[in-house]
Amino acid sequence: MPSIAVPDELTARQAEAVAYRGGNLLLEAVPGSGKTRVIVARCAALLAEGIAPSQILVLTFSRRAVGELRARLARLAAPRTLPDVRTFHGFAARLLAETGHAGHSRRLLSAPAERALFESVIDATPLPSLPAEVGRWPVFCDAAALRVDELRRAPPEALARLRQRATPRIRDLLALASEQTRRRDRLGVADYDDLVARAVQLASMPDGDLRKALRGRYAHVLVDEFQDTDALQLALVGQLGGEVFAVGDPSQAIYGFRGAARDALGRARAHLAMTRLGLDESFRCPAELCDLARAVWPEPPRLHSANVRAGEIAVRRAASPRDEAAFIADAVARALDDGTPESETAVLVRSAEPLARLVERELRGRGIAVARQGGQYVLDDPAVDALCAALKAFAGPGDGGAWRRLFGHPAFGIAPLTLRLALDAAPPCSIDAACEFAQRLAARSRVSGARLAAALRSARAFWDAGDPAQAARAFALDSNLLGFAIAGDERDARRSARRLTEFLAALGDVRDVRARMERDVSSLAVVRDFLACSESWTAGAETVDEEPGVRVLTVHAAKGLEFDFVAIADAVDGRFPQAWRSDTLLGDDEIALARACGVDLGTRAAEHGDEERSLWYVAVTRSKRKLLVTWSGTQLDGSPQRPSRFIPLALRTEALRMPSFVGPLTFTPAPDLEAIQPAAAARLPRPLGTSRIETWLDCRRKFYYGALLRIGAAERTFKPKLGSLVHKAIQEFHAAVRDFRTVAEGSSAAWAARLRESARTIAASDPQVEFDSPLERAAALRAADRLLERYARELEATARASAGGFEVIASEEAIAYDYAGVALLGKIDRVDRRPDGSLVLVDVKTGAFKREKAMTAAFPKLAAAASAGDLWIKATPPANPQLALYRAAKPQTESLAYLYLDARPKSGEYVDAAHTDRLDIAQDADALAALEDALGRTFFEPWTTGGVTVIEPTRNARTCRFCEFVTICPGYLEDDE
């Protein structure tokens, strides 16, 4: 046997792995143990033995890993004499192409087109085990798509066993999988998993071309990150022949949600008769970090530090997510000042929103470059958002708000005041009117009105011809959206250009799928389907390895990387680790049945827990020296939250003894006013609660004390407690009862009983609804019974009175959004979706209804008072601006509803009924425009331009009688007559 060349710098265990030639080997390698060095050294040794490069195959899971391995191997010899290094999908595609089978797998659909195709599959497939209307629910589409993908990854023999023993629910899922395969074959399309499945299927045919092509082709197959293989990839490795050298770590198995096989390494040892060898020394992580990573496991993995340098671990609590982001940015700035390079600094999050965005904003605000990866959505890109606004305006040309959003988009740079005056004078209500409107706009914007009008006309021609993709492309070109993207830094420009291209291609994909499925392909139908299928369209894998800046990454995106300083943000129980939710489609017995047949279907609680531990293990072991773990004491909406149970108790306790970090008060300036923003301007909290704006309209002094200084009485009176009890009962009710499209007469009685039962449970057990005495609790329950019964009756009446009823798609939904340059947050009591897809925002009030169309009458009065400059002097009732502002977060909204539950006086008597005061976005456009004008004049413009210099007291005693700040207000008695 020829001598084997083994590099001198390898440890004894690494050298043993490189030299091993006794058959298939599984190398279990902990983070920082030098597994990539071992793979490269083994390739070098095989080449030194005389093994031809073409007989050595290296498989991995990401293009980034392929690039790193190729770069390291390139240092050994010329590229032509190197082994073949590919991803599983790339290797499968090449095999199919070489054997003449590529035609079945060449076209890959975009994510929106995949979603549109799957929804057509659901429409066409009878599902006897489910209610008839379930296919319309987005939550069902999401869950079913995951289960069908798992079935498609299962080996054919396992699926055959499952079909023989399937329950009715599993039969429905199998039917969806079969119909999806049939439609894919009909369309001639595929996804990445199809490439591997096709290769496995052809390789298993005894006399097939692909089986012959593989026979004797590879003497050695090396696989990196073997714990991430799914059943099909494992089967493909088994078909390749040759000696398998697989490297993996069971404690880093974090891709179960994406189809990685449960216990992939255990299966590989059994199926491939692999010998096990362990590398358990980490040369990356100090001992302190190794201990923190191991501590979350019931049976800690073998992870030992070979790093003699001491590690640093800090844990800190902030008051709110905004404060947490500010604290992390300050810590990163200090690390950079101390000499840590930007590329050696990373902020990791379990879920991208909201912390990744907040941290990125805080870092950029300090002049620190940011390279962000993971958890980003295609439609979030500013240039793509402008294109979406154009398509929505074309889809609803009679919607004045759609044109307002389009022309007001920052991409076109039209001055806000100029635009507002023009829209108030002649709001467009058709595409032709919009073209004429744009033509009249001043030319001093980034895109002239004439150019914008030309872009609309070009797009309109393609739109009318039924080609929305070409319409979008024409608008993007003629309005110079790419120029808007390029105006940013180089990285943002590349990203925007790439996402614009993806957006246009996906829109064409959706139209093609609909056409070949013989569905409506009018521009309106295609765009509505495309936008509905794109809401959760995540951006493709975008590596940030070569980009300058601090890395802001999801833990999944950070896999395989290492940094000198790592911050793990949002370490909150329920998000990291993520709370376990049982499967919405399958019971535990059905999951067990599928597993017994050899199909990885569904997720068990224990498997979910292990994957969360693996994510923590991966996050902690990215650090070579310094680790910061942070969490905030409240959510964006102010509700309390607890630190992650993965943080050791001693560190949690120490952090809780320290005061929460509270950052400086700031606000987000309007983009077009940043250049003139005074440095000493008054600053808003981050972000501002929408309800605070009503306080501003009542009394600026009260707003100053409560919203800015955050002082005020902590105790809650009876009415707020009652309101919390009623809202929580309604939220719990709608968590289970959402569909009100078909409502039988008298349904409200059962609903009222359920609501009353929820209220009693909440009053007895919820610490956030705590009454001072049993008498107060009893009084609250009596009042709640009346209010909830009225709510149930009004719910039935509304459902039966509207054509097609509605669905409640959210209850007590916390939202964070930007309006006129100010970051806002709020909570929508209820969001209803009508059959046509439009939304109704509902604000449930436990107070009494006073007069019909109260808001419609109040908003114009508010605007008139604002114009006269006497808004806070005459104390015009400001009404409630919250729902109107929430439209910025819910652009599909077509109606606002204020639901009053208290009895209302009529002819000296009380009518025992709730009352709904509705505002229609189209019919009441004047009132809503008046409100926007009043808020712009009195609040948003003064705050975003720094125009507020004095916070004067109220001039009306009515606003003072129940004010908790009355004793510190210098002007509360001035008008007390």
Side-chain angles (χ1 to χ4, degrees):
M1 178 178 175
S3 61
I4 299 171
V6 178
D8 295 335
E9 67 270 16
L10 297 179
T11 67
R13 186 61 63 87
Q14 290 172 341
E16 181 183 353
V18 170
Y20 183 83
R21 297 293 184 276
N24 296 335
L25 179 70
L26 175 61
L27 183 64
E28 295 188 0
V30 302
S33 59
K35 67 179 180 64
T36 306
R37 178 191 301 175
V38 170
I39 292 173
V40 172
R42 184 173 175 89
C43 288
L46 292 172
L47 293 171
E49 291 177 39
I51 304 295
S54 61
Q55 289 189 294
I56 304 173
L57 173 65
V58 183
L59 293 173
T60 187
F61 283 86
S62 68
R63 290 190 292 271
R64 178 172 64 194
V66 167
E68 181 181 359
L69 284 167
R70 285 178 177 170
R72 292 203 191 187
L73 288 168
R75 299 170 193 158
L76 303 177
R80 292 185 179 179
T81 61
L82 294 181
D84 193 9
V85 184
R86 295 186 182 271
T87 64
F88 272 95
H89 302 124
F91 174 69
R94 194 189 69 167
L95 274 182
L96 294 171
E98 287 178 350
T99 54
H101 298 284
H104 295 282
S105 326
R106 293 296 292 174
R107 187 176 178 204
L108 302 177
L109 287 180
S110 60
E114 285 280 5
R115 179 68 176 219
L117 176 60
F118 188 66
E119 289 185 0
S120 76
V121 168
I122 293 174
D123 290 342
T125 308
L127 303 171
S129 75
L130 293 160
E133 67 275 11
V134 74
R136 303 176 191 172
W137 299 349
V139 66
F140 169 75
C141 294
D142 294 340
L146 288 174
R147 302 290 83 86
V148 167
D149 282 345
E150 289 169 345
L151 290 172
R152 289 171 51 229
R153 295 188 191 103
E157 62 277 8
L159 281 177
R161 289 192 295 270
L162 183 60
R163 285 192 182 93
Q164 293 177 350
R165 303 174 58 188
T167 65
R169 180 62 51 80
I170 292 178
R171 278 198 293 272
D172 283 352
L173 293 175
L174 287 167
L176 287 173
S178 297
E179 178 64 16
Q180 186 184 57
T181 299
R182 188 184 71 79
R183 295 198 171 215
R184 285 175 179 276
D185 291 342
R186 175 182 165 188
L187 294 175
V189 299
D191 63 8
Y192 287 113
D193 288 330
D194 288 330
L195 298 175
V196 179
R198 182 82 173 148
V200 170
Q201 179 189 12
L202 295 172
S204 62
M205 295 180 179
D207 297 322
D209 295 340
L210 200 146
R211 181 71 170 265
K212 293 176 183 177
L214 287 175
R215 191 173 297 148
R217 179 170 182 171
Y218 297 110
H220 294 273
V221 178
L222 294 83
V223 187
D224 192 13
E225 304 290 1
F226 204 61
Q227 76 279 350
D228 295 331
T229 52
D230 61 33
L232 286 173
Q233 291 161 344
L234 180 58
L236 181 61
V237 171
Q239 296 284 354
L240 296 179
E243 189 172 279
V244 177
F245 179 87
V247 183
D249 181 1
S251 299
Q252 295 189 72
I254 63 173
Y255 290 109
F257 76 97
R258 206 168 64 187
R262 312 295 177 184
D263 189 25
L265 299 187
R267 295 187 187 192
R269 289 200 303 271
H271 294 170
L272 299 176
M274 306 185 84
T275 301
R276 179 189 173 279
L277 183 66
L279 295 181
D280 55 16
E281 280 189 317
S282 175
F283 299 94
R284 174 196 305 160
C285 304
E288 297 87 347
L289 295 173
C290 289
D291 291 342
L292 183 63
R294 297 172 69 247
V296 299
W297 294 91
E299 297 182 14
R302 294 175 62 84
L303 171 63
H304 308 291
S305 176
N307 187 340
V308 297
R309 186 167 59 174
E312 301 177 35
I313 300 173
V315 177
R316 192 66 194 271
R317 174 184 57 160
S320 71
R322 300 262 174 182
D323 296 317
E324 182 180 1
F327 180 80
I328 291 171
D330 287 344
V332 168
R334 288 194 298 271
L336 299 181
D337 289 342
D338 291 341
T340 304
E342 288 181 341
S343 60
E344 284 289 328
T345 308
V347 181
L348 309 184
V349 290
R350 170 65 179 87
S351 301
E353 293 300 330
L355 253 296
R357 173 172 47 84
L358 298 180
V359 169
E360 181 179 10
R361 181 182 296 175
E362 291 286 345
L363 289 170
R364 290 186 186 276
R366 289 162 175 76
I368 299 172
V370 178
R372 182 179 166 193
Q373 181 179 345
Q376 294 171 294
Y377 295 97
V378 173
L379 300 193
D380 284 347
D381 183 87
V384 172
D385 183 61
L387 200 50
C388 278
L391 290 175
K392 289 176 181 177
F394 273 80
D399 179 6
W403 295 112
R404 186 181 294 267
R405 285 189 292 273
L406 173 62
F407 291 123
H409 199 282
F412 310 119
I414 301 172
L417 183 58
T418 300
L419 178 62
R420 189 174 70 188
L421 292 173
L423 286 169
D424 289 346
C429 56
S430 68
I431 299 177
D432 288 335
C435 293
E436 295 174 5
F437 175 85
Q439 192 73 47
R440 294 194 303 268
L441 286 174
R444 293 184 58 190
S445 52
R446 193 192 70 80
V447 177
S448 70
R451 181 165 187 173
L452 199 52
L456 290 171
R457 293 191 185 99
S458 298
R460 200 267 179 75
F462 289 108
W463 179 272
D464 291 343
D467 194 342
Q470 282 293 349
R473 182 174 286 106
F475 183 83
L477 289 172
D478 291 350
S479 65
N480 194 23
L481 282 181
L482 193 57
F484 168 67
I486 293 173
D489 61 38
E490 183 180 354
R491 182 182 66 86
D492 289 342
R494 288 200 308 270
R495 182 195 62 194
S496 285
R498 183 167 53 247
R499 291 186 183 171
L500 277 170
T501 303
E502 291 173 2
F503 180 92
L504 293 169
L507 183 54
D509 260 0
V510 171
R511 186 190 184 282
D512 186 46
V513 165
R514 290 182 65 89
R516 297 172 78 173
M517 290 290 105
E518 299 180 354
R519 304 178 75 183
D520 183 3
V521 290
S522 65
S523 293
L524 178 61
V526 171
V527 165
R528 284 182 174 174
D529 194 14
F530 171 74
L531 293 176
C533 293
S534 303
E535 290 181 356
S536 57
W537 180 15
T538 55
E542 299 172 349
T543 179
V544 296
D545 296 357
E546 303 301 322
E547 294 180 3
V550 172
R551 272 60 174 153
V552 178
L553 310 168
T554 61
V555 179
H556 288 96
K559 178 81 177 296
L561 302 178
E562 59 181 40
F563 306 93
D564 196 57
F565 171 51
V566 172
I568 300 176
D570 203 25
V572 172
D573 209 31
R575 285 201 297 278
F576 201 178
Q578 244 178 28
W580 160 247
R581 294 184 178 90
S582 59
D583 198 292
T584 57
L585 291 178
L586 299 172
D588 291 342
D589 55 339
E590 290 172 313
I591 293 175
L593 170 64
R595 300 296 175 83
C597 295
V599 178
D600 278 335
L601 193 61
T603 303
R604 293 167 170 163
E607 294 164 346
H608 172 82
D610 284 347
E611 191 156 324
E612 292 298 311
R613 293 184 186 93
S614 292
L615 280 163
W616 177 261
Y617 181 91
V618 167
V620 171
T621 55
R622 297 311 92 196
S623 174
K624 295 184 287 186
R625 183 176 67 88
K626 188 174 181 180
L627 180 71
L628 170 66
V629 182
T630 65
W631 84 91
S632 57
T634 65
Q635 299 182 37
L636 278 174
D637 63 359
S639 56
Q641 53 191 12
R642 297 176 300 177
S644 170
R645 59 180 178 273
F646 286 168
I647 304 173
L649 180 60
L651 293 176
R652 267 183 277 163
T653 304
E654 181 182 351
L656 287 168
R657 285 174 180 158
M658 301 170 63
S660 298
F661 173 81
V662 179
L665 298 177
T666 62
F667 76 102
T668 306
D672 56 327
L673 298 173
E674 286 180 329
I676 61 171
Q677 178 61 45
R683 295 182 172 228
L684 289 172
R686 302 182 320 269
L688 180 70
T690 308
S691 60
R692 295 286 194 179
I693 297 176
E694 189 173 356
T695 305
W696 167 267
L697 297 174
D698 274 330
C699 176
R700 291 187 170 190
R701 180 69 61 172
K702 186 174 182 179
F703 173 89
Y704 176 77
Y705 293 143
L708 269 64
L709 298 186
R710 299 177 180 174
I711 59 176
E715 72 176 278
R716 300 177 69 210
T717 58
F718 177 78
K719 280 193 174 182
K721 294 177 188 177
L722 173 61
S724 295
L725 175 62
V726 169
H727 280 80
K728 282 179 174 288
I730 292 173
Q731 180 184 14
E732 188 174 295
F733 172 73
H734 284 305
V737 183
R738 293 179 174 273
D739 192 348
F740 299 93
R741 288 173 295 181
T742 304
V743 173
E745 187 175 358
S747 299
S748 60
W751 299 342
R754 189 165 184 169
L755 285 161
R756 289 194 295 268
E757 182 181 350
S758 294
R760 275 155 177 73
T761 303
I762 293 166
S765 59
D766 194 326
Q768 295 182 36
V769 185
E770 189 172 351
F771 295 97
D772 293 340
S773 68
L775 286 175
E776 187 181 56
R777 184 186 298 110
L781 287 172
R782 285 195 300 273
D785 286 349
R786 293 192 298 273
L787 299 177
L788 292 171
E789 184 173 352
R790 292 169 188 151
Y791 179 81
R793 294 203 302 264
E794 185 71 11
L795 197 62
E796 178 184 337
T798 302
R800 291 176 62 80
S802 55
F806 59 89
E807 293 176 88
V808 176
I809 62 173
S811 180
E812 298 295 318
E813 180 183 9
I815 57 171
Y817 62 104
D818 287 339
Y819 185 95
V822 176
L824 298 173
L825 60 82
K827 184 177 287 186
I828 306 177
D829 293 346
R830 201 176 84 206
V831 182
D832 298 345
R833 180 166 57 202
R834 293 168 170 167
D836 63 358
S838 64
L839 301 183
V840 180
L841 307 186
V842 182
D843 189 9
V844 179
K845 296 178 172 298
T846 53
F849 168 71
K850 293 180 176 63
R851 60 184 177 275
E852 196 78 29
K853 301 294 281 183
M855 305 300 167
T856 309
F859 293 159
K861 291 181 181 179
L862 194 64
S867 299
D870 57 4
L871 175 66
W872 48 91
I873 297 176
K874 291 187 177 179
T876 302
N880 189 330
Q882 288 175 251
L883 285 188
L885 294 174
Y886 289 159
R887 289 183 299 151
K890 300 285 185 182
Q892 305 97 323
T893 300
E894 291 192 2
S895 182
L896 310 177
Y898 297 88
L899 173 55
Y900 296 87
L901 298 182
D902 205 356
R904 56 193 173 99
K906 184 177 181 182
S907 303
E909 298 179 359
Y910 281 97
V911 177
D912 186 18
H915 181 82
T916 301
D917 184 17
R918 292 187 180 275
L919 278 80
D920 185 272
I921 302 300
Q923 294 180 5
D924 299 313
D926 291 343
L928 291 170
L931 173 66
E932 292 175 356
D933 178 72
L935 293 177
R937 288 173 184 267
T938 65
F939 184 77
F940 290 106
E941 288 179 13
W943 279 103
T944 54
T945 59
V948 176
T949 56
V950 177
I951 308 291
E952 63 266 53
T954 184
R955 295 292 192 271
N956 190 285
R958 287 180 299 166
T959 62
C960 303
R961 291 196 178 106
F962 303 104
C963 176
E964 64 267 39
F965 308 113
V966 76
T967 58
I968 57 173
C969 181
Y972 77 98
L973 289 177
E974 291 187 12
D975 193 32
D976 193 9
E977 297 177 356

